[in-house]
Amino acid sequence: MSSHSVHPATGTRKRRPGKSPSRHTEADEAISLDTLAGHAGYAVRRFQLWIFQDFIRTLAAVDIKPTQFSVMTVIGANPGLSQMAVAKRLGIERARLVHLLDSLERRKLVKRVQSAVDRRSHALHLTASGEASLRKFKQLAAEHERHVADKIGKANREQLLRILSCFA
Amino acid sequence: MSSHSVHPATGTRKRRPGKSPSRHTEADEAISLDTLAGHAGYAVRRFQLWIFQDFIRTLAAVDIKPTQFSVMTVIGANPGLSQMAVAKRLGIERARLVHLLDSLERRKLVKRVQSAVDRRSHALHLTASGEASLRKFKQLAAEHERHVADKIGKANREQLLRILSCFA
DNA sequence: TATTGTTATACTCTATAACTATA
DNA sequence: TATAGTTATAGAGTATAACAATA
């Protein structure tokens, strides 16, 4: 290992003034990932961290997180669904969906309507303002998706969607 | 919507006896994902849930989680690293790494050695039994990786690794 | 009996802030 | 003054279990 500016014990260098602290420094690449580099799960985890951070940043002005977006999108496309149906479709625990809906209902984006057919269940709908808001959210989400394409490449993004389509 | 067995309000059907409860039922596919289907983040999140579950299941006998495996692999390949260097390389908060190492140290898999150069920092090493254990963990992780290949296809897995290599 | 929505608990993970000992 | 490791806390997210109302 030839290094005069790399600290022998820590593997880190003194921060250079112009360097962003959010991503790898040059020293990081010198640290071997060993077999980790061949594990899809590792790459997928790192990618998901990046993609969620970008989504949250891009939709920060409207204060919508990925899970909230997915819930509103599914309710918007399938009005009248029960909480169980939404939870199962999106792989969310039904106990957690309760809190997610509480928050969206407080913001008047979603409403729970007592089902006429099964009085145990609620039929979920977007409110009028929820519909309008969702249109705006989708525009911003599309912008986020362009960031993804910029990051990994347009063709690669499409390949990725194709490869992972079995998990939709 | 043509359906006689699909409940109109919930979109669910009565559970058939032979059906596994852990994955989608046929009714789920009838629920539209709308624009969600075109978002890489959604597919990636679902894929990561699956992949982590399989990793945890496959390494359950040795009680090693993905993050623990990544920490041990990096220390094994780069003995003497500081906690900061490991945390930065893997994108883990340094505060969280403290607890991860506490647990691995209690199990005598990893040891913190006082650095001779910088007395603030610890040089991280695997113990002898940690080295031996890691070899076993890597065998099981390779088995998990074969499950991934079985799930999405050998060629697709390699494409995925290539597409996401910029996040390693 | 089983299911829907709900509440509650526990454990993990993430994000901070503050403290100490060093540098 | 800045950094390494630590401790503590708060907020998500996940995993359960239990309960009331209803099927």
Side-chain angles (χ1 to χ4, degrees):
Chain A
M1 192 191 288
S2 74
S3 56
H4 67 282
S5 67
V6 175
H7 191 295
T10 64
T12 59
R13 300 182 196 208
K14 291 185 176 59
R15 168 90 82 256
R16 289 188 322 198
K19 195 75 175 146
S20 157
S22 61
R23 283 297 294 153
H24 289 160
T25 64
E26 329 79 89
D28 289 331
E29 274 92 55
I31 301 176
S32 164
L33 285 178
D34 196 18
T35 54
L36 231 44
H39 281 292
Y42 177 74
V44 166
R45 167 178 164 262
R46 297 297 301 239
F47 182 49
Q48 213 215 294
L49 288 180
W50 182 89
I51 212 167
F52 268 51
Q53 276 166 12
D54 185 84
F55 186 100
I56 292 169
R57 204 182 315 127
T58 308
L59 279 83
V62 295
D63 189 27
I64 286 291
K65 302 278 168 44
T67 311
Q68 295 174 310
F69 179 73
S70 69
V71 168
M72 284 191 67
T73 299
V74 164
I75 294 175
N78 311 271
L81 284 185
S82 71
Q83 297 186 191
M84 270 306 292
V86 170
K88 271 166 62 180
R89 186 66 184 88
L90 291 175
I92 301 170
E93 282 298 316
R94 73 184 201 267
R96 201 188 144 216
L97 186 60
V98 171
H99 301 297
L100 286 166
L101 289 173
D102 286 349
S103 150
L104 293 174
E105 206 169 30
R106 253 181 272 116
R107 290 169 65 179
K108 306 270 185 250
L109 296 170
V110 162
K111 59 182 178 237
R112 290 163 160 115
V113 179
Q114 191 69 24
S115 164
V117 197
D118 183 341
R119 284 163 59 207
R120 290 173 304 183
S121 73
H122 296 149
L124 299 173
H125 296 270
L126 298 183
T127 62
S129 92
E131 301 263 16
S133 298
L134 182 55
R135 278 192 290 276
K136 176 64 179 168
F137 301 163
K138 283 182 176 177
Q139 283 173 18
L140 292 169
E143 189 184 319
H144 152 73
E145 204 61 24
R146 285 192 291 275
H147 300 169
V148 176
D150 291 345
K151 180 73 178 174
I152 65 175
K154 204 164 174 297
N156 282 337
R157 181 186 152 273
E158 275 156 27
Q159 285 240 342
L160 195 73
L161 281 172
R162 184 186 52 72
I163 292 172
L164 300 184
S165 61
C166 56
F167 289 94
Chain B
M1 193 189 291
S2 74
S3 57
H4 67 283
S5 67
V6 175
H7 191 294
T10 65
T12 59
R13 299 179 196 212
K14 290 183 177 61
R15 167 92 82 256
R16 289 185 322 196
K19 195 75 175 146
S20 157
S22 59
R23 283 297 295 154
H24 290 161
T25 63
E26 332 76 273
D28 288 331
E29 275 91 55
I31 301 178
S32 164
L33 284 179
D34 196 16
T35 55
L36 230 43
H39 281 293
Y42 178 73
V44 166
R45 168 178 164 263
R46 298 297 302 238
F47 182 49
Q48 214 215 294
L49 288 179
W50 182 89
I51 213 167
F52 268 51
Q53 277 166 13
D54 185 86
F55 187 100
I56 291 168
R57 205 182 314 126
T58 308
L59 278 84
V62 294
D63 190 26
I64 286 290
K65 302 279 169 44
T67 311
Q68 295 174 310
F69 178 74
S70 69
V71 168
M72 284 191 66
T73 298
V74 164
I75 294 175
N78 311 271
L81 283 184
S82 71
Q83 297 186 193
M84 270 306 292
V86 171
K88 272 166 64 180
R89 185 67 183 90
L90 292 175
I92 302 171
E93 283 297 318
R94 74 184 200 267
R96 200 187 146 219
L97 185 60
V98 171
H99 300 296
L100 285 166
L101 289 173
D102 285 349
S103 150
L104 293 173
E105 208 169 29
R106 251 182 272 116
R107 291 169 65 178
K108 307 272 186 245
L109 297 170
V110 162
K111 59 181 178 239
R112 291 163 159 117
V113 179
Q114 191 70 24
S115 164
V117 198
D118 183 339
R119 285 162 60 206
R120 290 171 304 182
S121 74
H122 297 149
L124 300 172
H125 296 270
L126 297 184
T127 63
S129 92
E131 301 263 16
S133 298
L134 182 56
R135 278 192 290 275
K136 177 62 181 167
F137 302 164
K138 282 181 176 179
Q139 282 173 18
L140 292 168
E143 189 184 321
H144 152 73
E145 205 61 24
R146 285 192 290 276
H147 300 168
V148 176
D150 290 346
K151 180 71 179 176
I152 66 175
K154 204 163 173 300
N156 282 338
R157 180 186 152 273
E158 275 156 26
Q159 285 241 340
L160 196 72
L161 280 173
R162 185 186 53 71
I163 292 171
L164 300 185
S165 60
C166 57
F167 289 94

